[in-house]
Amino acid sequence: MEIVNGLPKGALIHGKLSDYEITGYRSQDGFGILYEAEVVTQGNKKGKNNDMRVVMREFFMQRCSRRDEDGCTVYTPEELTPTVNSFYKAFVFASNRCAQATTYSGAGVVNVIEVVNQNGTSYYVVEYLEGETLEDYINAHGPLTVHEAISILNLYLKA
């Protein structure tokens, strides 16, 4: 999949807990871009930690948002600002709620590490988990059976 108007590889996102370097792209939809990244500095923000990979979701409304000449800053044309702002507020609210909820969760739920506001937009950072995605599984094996779907939903409900 081609990513349109994504951050350049090597771009840095500065969080409160860590700094993150964009290393690749996962996907894009109408509301955002999903990046692979690595923790560059952690905790006291000293030193490089190549062992910790993360996934970052950027709020970027594909048909409404624009990237500035610097390749990082996001802006919205004035006539689209009210619409984009309402979705942006919902994204930030949901991201913060997920970050609070995963503080208390257990296995089966990806941990939201932090929510970062930078470049005129927001990002949420989650731990990177190795393995097959549900989408990959369905593409390889076809639609889930009712039994498979219930088993997966039970995992989420228990978490």
Side-chain angles (χ1 to χ4, degrees):
M1 166 183 225
E2 181 183 343
I3 303 298
V4 179
N5 290 319
L7 288 169
K9 288 183 181 177
L12 292 175
I13 303 299
H14 305 285
K16 291 179 183 173
L17 302 177
S18 300
D19 293 334
Y20 310 93
E21 181 179 343
I22 302 299
T23 58
Y25 310 102
R26 300 290 294 181
S27 63
Q28 180 175 25
D29 60 29
F31 291 97
I33 303 171
L34 198 61
Y35 301 97
E36 293 178 10
E38 68 180 32
V39 175
V40 178
T41 54
Q42 187 175 11
N44 60 9
K45 294 193 173 186
K46 293 181 183 175
K48 190 165 176 109
N49 181 355
N50 288 328
D51 294 334
M52 187 167 178
R53 294 169 57 194
V54 295
V55 176
M56 301 181 72
R57 170 92 170 161
E58 176 186 37
F59 178 79
F60 188 91
M61 289 186 71
Q62 190 172 10
R63 295 180 187 259
C64 302
S65 301
R66 307 287 184 267
R67 192 82 62 188
D68 204 356
E69 292 176 8
D70 66 5
C72 295
T73 305
V74 175
Y75 70 93
T76 303
E78 190 174 327
E79 65 275 9
L80 300 174
T81 299
T83 300
V84 172
N85 281 350
S86 64
F87 284 105
Y88 177 77
K89 288 176 186 175
F91 177 88
V92 171
F93 177 78
S95 298
N96 284 315
R97 292 298 297 236
C98 287
Q100 293 168 356
T102 59
T103 302
Y104 308 106
S105 68
V109 176
V110 67
N111 183 36
V112 177
I113 298 168
E114 69 177 313
V115 179
V116 180
N117 296 307
Q118 184 181 315
N119 298 327
T121 192
S122 286
Y123 307 82
Y124 64 81
V125 183
V126 299
E127 62 186 324
Y128 180 89
L129 299 177
E130 293 284 344
E132 184 178 45
T133 66
L134 180 58
E135 180 181 18
D136 293 339
Y137 181 86
I138 291 171
N139 288 336
H141 303 285
L144 297 176
T145 66
V146 172
H147 183 298
E148 289 173 317
I150 290 171
S151 295
I152 291 169
L153 284 173
N154 280 332
L155 290 173
Y156 286 106
L157 294 173
K158 288 178 184 175

